[in-house]
Amino acid sequence: MTELLRNAASGWANYKGSGKMAALLLAALAYLWFTGRGKGQKALLLYASLAAACCVLPVTAALLMAYQTKFYDYEWIWSMVPLTAVTAYGAALFLAQQWKKDAGGWRRGLPVTLLLLLALGLCGNLGGDAGARAGRRAEREEAYAVAGMLAERYPGEDICLLAPQAILEYAREADGRLRLAYGRNMWDISLNGYAYDTYDRKTSDLYRWMGWAEQSAGVWMPEEDREEMLATVERRAEDAVELGVNCILLPAGVPGEIRERMEAALGTRAEDMDDYIVFALF
């Protein structure tokens, strides 16, 4: 429960920082309640206000996350809030009031509408993360390129791939013939929400080791992680073979010691392939 409370508290901070829809909802609710113009939809406003409050307060947010089987991220609980409907309703009533003849008609309504649109534009991102989308697009392109190079280098082979997470994320999307040592649900726990099978310790250790190997390719990492990574090279190579992996992809920048010890443990020579080294067991 402590972990859920921590995630709920940080979740609200991250959620409101990634877009402006939550802020626009709160502004719409404040306008509708304090001006009394939302009387016709009082039930909707009351529900939206209570639901939003439950999502913001850490205790109630944690309970909602627990109700969703603890597998879903914080932002999913906002699906219970009619965010778009209430925001649009508040904006429509506000603009309708500005365009009334006794309020100035189009002379007031037009500049207010333009100012509102300008304010929305200055809000920038209304709910998505352009930087994250660009990063995912680059990862997808990289995975497609790697899948293409593997298909060209090993035509007709039944490939079971062990590679960095960014490659495995889109590998089967790029080439459905590829098999993976583990799938996206290894790192995206929400995908296991209705699953009863879990990965065994061997597969989980292999995933963690691959993360360390990727981190060692030019990025600083804690010394204890580096020591465990180097101490378990042969064991992880053995685990990969037992899981049916016949193609291991490592970043080209990994320490030379890993390359040499992997070659010895697998009984094969590593091949250079663009920004990666490949250990093929065909």
Side-chain angles (χ1 to χ4, degrees):
M1 190 63 185
T2 303
E3 184 66 23
L4 276 177
L5 286 171
R6 186 182 301 110
N7 291 339
S10 61
W12 164 243
N14 295 332
Y15 184 74
K16 67 183 178 64
S18 64
K20 304 300 185 293
M21 286 300 294
L24 292 175
L25 170 69
L26 298 180
L29 287 173
Y31 170 75
L32 293 170
W33 279 116
F34 288 110
T35 62
R37 300 192 182 280
K39 294 180 180 178
Q41 296 293 336
K42 193 170 184 179
L44 175 64
L45 296 185
L46 183 60
Y47 169 75
S49 301
L50 291 175
C54 289
C55 290
V56 172
L57 297 175
V59 174
T60 50
L63 291 175
L64 289 173
M65 293 168 68
Y67 173 73
Q68 291 184 329
T69 69
K70 302 182 184 180
F71 285 105
Y72 297 101
D73 295 330
Y74 169 84
E75 60 266 19
W76 287 100
I77 64 175
W78 278 87
S79 60
M80 64 179 285
V81 183
L83 191 150
T84 304
V86 174
T87 303
Y89 179 59
L93 290 184
F94 174 75
L95 290 175
Q97 177 64 24
Q98 308 308 312
W99 282 84
K100 284 185 176 180
K101 289 185 178 180
D102 56 358
W106 68 269
R107 290 183 178 84
R108 180 174 180 178
L110 182 59
V112 168
T113 302
L114 293 176
L115 285 173
L116 184 59
L117 291 174
L118 178 62
L120 288 173
L122 292 176
C123 282
N125 189 350
L126 294 180
D129 189 335
R133 286 197 300 272
R136 288 192 294 270
R137 185 163 54 250
E139 288 179 354
R140 179 181 283 107
E141 292 173 354
E142 177 72 6
Y144 270 69
V146 168
M149 286 186 286
L150 289 175
E152 182 180 347
R153 181 167 295 201
Y154 310 112
E157 296 289 353
D158 181 20
I159 298 177
C160 182
L161 181 64
L162 175 64
Q165 175 181 319
I167 301 300
L168 295 184
E169 182 103 28
Y170 303 103
R172 282 187 55 80
E173 178 184 312
D175 189 342
R177 295 171 298 178
L178 293 174
R179 293 185 295 115
L180 309 180
Y182 43 78
R184 186 181 300 172
N185 58 327
M186 173 65 82
W187 55 85
D188 189 351
I189 304 301
S190 65
L191 297 178
N192 293 317
Y194 299 101
Y196 295 95
D197 296 329
T198 57
Y199 290 108
D200 57 23
R201 178 65 180 272
K202 184 181 298 183
T203 309
S204 299
D205 288 345
L206 193 60
Y207 165 69
R208 187 176 60 204
W209 186 89
M210 177 58 71
W212 285 339
E214 186 178 4
Q215 190 176 2
S216 71
V219 181
W220 179 88
M221 62 187 300
E223 188 60 33
E224 58 270 21
D225 291 348
R226 179 178 291 274
E227 290 178 359
E228 184 171 351
M229 174 191 67
L230 293 174
T232 56
V233 172
E234 288 77 11
R235 194 183 314 162
R236 296 291 84 85
E238 181 182 341
D239 291 344
V241 173
E242 288 183 10
L243 290 171
V245 173
N246 57 16
C247 185
I248 300 176
L249 201 69
L250 294 179
V254 295
E257 180 183 352
I258 292 182
R259 178 171 183 155
E260 295 171 1
R261 290 171 60 181
M262 286 287 283
E263 288 178 335
L266 296 171
T268 185
R269 296 285 295 176
E271 302 177 40
D272 295 314
M273 190 182 76
D274 202 11
D275 294 328
Y276 299 91
I277 53 176
V278 185
F279 301 88
L281 305 174
F282 303 119

